[in-house]
Amino acid sequence: SSADSGVASVTASLSLSDGKNGGLAKNYVVAPFNVGSVSISPAPITVSGLSAVPRNYNGTTIVALAGTPVLSGLVDGQTLKINNLSSAGTSAQPNSGIQAVTASLILQNGSNGGIANNYFVAPYNVGVVTINPAPVTVTGISPVSSRVYDGSNVVALTGTPIINGLVGSETLTITNLLTGGTASSPSIGTTSVTANIILGDGTNGGLASNYVAPPFDAGTVSIIGVEPVVARQLSVIASAAVTTVLTTVS
């Protein structure tokens, strides 16, 4: 009763042929009759021409697919569409890195009698996707106000860091506050400091490898010279020596 997939009733329309003992087909007719029902299954088709779209970590396994899909196995000139390319891929893991992707396509009616219900596409491996670490920003920290000159560019950072851009309730830590600042110059004076944050794993599934904190301007630091301190110490030693001499003479 229908050419589409599903359970359909079947009408038998038989054609007779001559038999024996004088049996001529033209002398008889068999009226069409209902012979029961048949289950017509959707026809399997394959899809090519798609690949996964790289994205940043977002805590999910959803991956968009892109390309020009080619559907193979359609009947005659029928066409179909795919209506879920933006969410059709599923990565093996939600974490950053290179992940295998499975395509689970949803078909949509096309043209020339192409009906989505008459076909199905089994999930298939569409390749891999690169999930990049998601960028975060850090606020609430600044360089220490001053430190003694030591010939290096290393500057300690201080404060209560706030990490913005994490997924859901995930948390992270910062592992290098004592060495996280880089002075633009190691020399004595006031100099700008760039924060180069190293993230550490946190709670609620927060993995440092899923995020990246780009370097940022953290403020300034005053690098103090050590020469005045040495000079004062020498002055004290010299004064003590003079006092000793005077005392001895007198």
Side-chain angles (χ1 to χ4, degrees), residues 79-90:
T79 70
L80 292 176
K81 300 176 183 178
I82 298 173
N83 70 359
N84 68 326
L85 285 180
S86 63
S87 60
T90 302

Side-chain angles (χ1 to χ4, degrees), residues 120-225:
F120 82 94
V121 182
Y124 67 98
N125 188 330
V126 75
V128 297
V129 66
T130 298
I131 299 178
N132 301 304
V136 296
T137 58
V138 179
T139 58
I141 59 175
S142 59
V144 293
S145 59
S146 64
R147 73 154 173 80
V148 175
Y149 169 81
D150 63 3
S152 77
N153 296 77
V154 178
V155 178
L157 303 176
T158 185
T160 302
I162 299 172
I163 303 176
N164 307 290
L166 298 176
V167 171
S169 60
E170 292 182 5
T171 70
L172 293 177
T173 60
I174 294 175
T175 64
N176 69 326
L177 280 181
L178 293 180
T179 58
T182 301
S184 60
S185 170
S187 302
I188 295 169
T190 299
T191 185
S192 60
V193 176
T194 299
N196 296 282
I197 298 301
I198 297 176
L199 301 172
D201 293 344
T203 60
N204 302 324
L207 298 178
S209 59
N210 286 332
Y211 297 94
V212 60
F216 63 94
D217 184 358
T220 60
V221 65
S222 177
I223 299 178
I224 302 171

